[in-house]
């Protein structure tokens, strides 16, 4: 039986295929802390933490950080870097559909479109787990693609970028019927070797997420167009949803 994409994509290919699209994590962490002031020493969980790009800088700021990811490959890279930098992060290998720590966290982060991997029922279960794991009044920050652009057809694209390790071809298609986005990345290295991966995620509208979060015991407090707090508009680059547990 073929394994789902989220069990295979996060391997040694990932840094080359997705790294060029990532922004400076130190800057993003600074933006997050300005957007949702986090009390000193707060308990923060980074859900879908990958190789610890955000968890480690958050730990260095004095927060008690837990990084959760399904990929042992990504967690190995995270542990190695954290050890080198002396960042005391708790790394947990677990499926976000199963990870729950009732009332344990002040803040939960889901960054770089790390949400929407599954079908609607399981995606709702993830939000339910977040709601249960937050303390009363705890904050959930959800960083996603702007679904308005995708669902209107404005973000279907095919382009090639020159990156440090070669030429990276990106293809993204948004299916307005299923509400899912499928992306394919193919890297051609200077020696001619090609590596590729594909994934698809469910993209939700602001209204859909508001209802799903309410069902999970959270209330939307704000929606921004980027982590720097820009207004959320139809043409915004991202959809950054901030919700609180009620």
């Amino acid at each position: 039986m073929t394994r789902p994409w989220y069990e295979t994509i996060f391997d040694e290919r990932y840094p080359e295929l997705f790294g060029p699209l990532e922004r400076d994590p130190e800057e993003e962490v600074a933006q997050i802390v300005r957007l949702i002031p986090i009390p000193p020493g707060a308990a923060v969980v980074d859900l879908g933490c990958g190789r610890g790009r955000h968890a480690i800088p958050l730990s260095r700021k004095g927060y008690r950080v837990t990084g959760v990811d399904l990929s042992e490959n990504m967690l190995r890279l995270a542990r190695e870097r954290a050890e080198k930098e002396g960042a005391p992060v708790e790394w947990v290998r677990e499926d976000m559909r199963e990870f729950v720590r009732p009332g344990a966290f002040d803040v939960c982060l889901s960054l770089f479109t790390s949400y929407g991997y599954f079908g609607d029922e399981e995606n709702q279960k993830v939000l339910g787990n977040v709601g249960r794991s937050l303390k009363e009044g705890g904050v959930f920050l959800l960083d996603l693609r702007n679904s308005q652009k995708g669902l209107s057809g404005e973000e279907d694209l095919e382009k090639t970028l020159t990156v440090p390790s070669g030429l990276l071809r990106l293809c993204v298609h948004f299916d307005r019927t299923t509400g899912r986005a499928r992306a394919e990345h193919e890297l051609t290295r200077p020696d001619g070797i090609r590596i590729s991966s594909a994934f698809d995620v469910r993209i939700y509208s602001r209204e859909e997420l508001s209802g799903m979060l309410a069902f999970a015991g959270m209330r939307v407090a704000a929606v921004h167009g980027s982590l720097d707090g820009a207004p959320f508009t139809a043409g915004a680059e991202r959809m950054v949803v901030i919700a609180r547990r009620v």
Side-chain angles (χ1 to χ4, degrees):
M1 182 179 294
T2 303
R3 296 167 64 193
W5 66 265
Y6 48 81
E7 290 186 9
T8 61
I9 197 173
F10 300 105
D11 58 16
E12 62 279 353
R13 300 170 297 167
Y14 185 88
E16 288 184 286
L17 289 168
F18 294 90
L21 307 179
E22 296 171 339
R23 297 193 171 182
D24 181 355
E26 301 282 349
E27 180 182 347
E28 290 187 324
V29 164
Q31 291 173 340
I32 290 166
V33 171
R34 287 195 295 268
L35 201 58
I36 50 167
I38 307 174
V44 179
V45 59
D46 184 359
L47 200 58
C49 66
R51 57 193 194 280
R53 294 190 317 116
H54 300 96
I56 291 170
L58 282 164
S59 174
R60 289 203 308 267
K61 286 183 175 292
Y63 301 118
R64 294 177 288 119
V65 181
T66 298
V68 179
D69 206 280
L70 183 62
S71 170
E72 183 55 43
N73 290 314
M74 294 291 100
L75 289 174
R76 175 178 51 79
L77 294 173
R79 291 188 193 99
E80 290 173 355
R81 180 185 162 194
E83 185 174 349
K84 288 179 182 177
E85 298 186 15
V89 178
E90 177 195 17
W91 304 108
V92 178
R93 182 174 185 265
E94 194 164 353
D95 192 311
M96 66 178 74
R97 291 168 291 185
E98 305 301 328
F99 179 80
V100 181
R101 287 189 185 171
F105 301 105
D106 299 287
V107 175
C108 176
L109 304 174
S110 177
L111 304 169
F112 199 51
T113 315
S114 295
Y115 175 74
Y117 292 177
F118 320 111
D120 289 339
E121 185 176 339
E122 291 183 309
N123 287 331
Q124 181 67 65
K125 185 178 181 182
V126 173
L127 294 183
N129 292 343
V130 170
R132 290 173 59 196
S133 296
L134 284 173
K135 299 175 182 178
E136 185 175 348
V139 178
F140 179 38
L141 186 151
L142 185 59
D143 165 39
L144 301 168
R145 285 181 176 273
N146 179 357
S147 63
Q148 288 184 232
K149 294 175 70 175
L151 292 174
S152 68
E154 295 177 28
E155 277 212 333
D156 284 8
L157 63 85
E158 181 170 349
K159 64 180 179 180
T160 300
L161 307 174
T162 300
V163 299
S165 49
L167 292 177
L168 181 62
R169 185 175 68 88
L170 309 175
C171 296
V172 182
H173 174 70
F174 291 81
D175 188 324
R176 264 64 69 185
T177 302
T178 63
R180 300 190 73 89
R182 176 176 173 81
E184 298 178 5
H185 293 199
E186 181 181 77
L187 176 71
T188 302
R189 293 170 173 162
D191 58 10
I193 292 176
R194 293 184 179 184
I195 60 174
S196 62
S197 67
F199 64 96
D200 78 287
V201 296
R202 175 71 159 90
I203 53 173
Y204 292 101
S205 69
R206 175 178 181 170
E207 293 72 25
E208 286 176 311
L209 280 172
S210 181
M212 294 172 72
L213 287 162
F215 190 77
M218 292 176 280
R219 178 179 55 81
V220 174
V223 180
H224 301 284
S226 64
L227 287 175
D228 65 8
F232 179 67
T233 64
E237 177 185 355
R238 307 287 293 173
M239 179 167 64
V240 178
V241 180
I242 299 172
R244 287 189 179 273
R245 180 183 171 185
V246 295

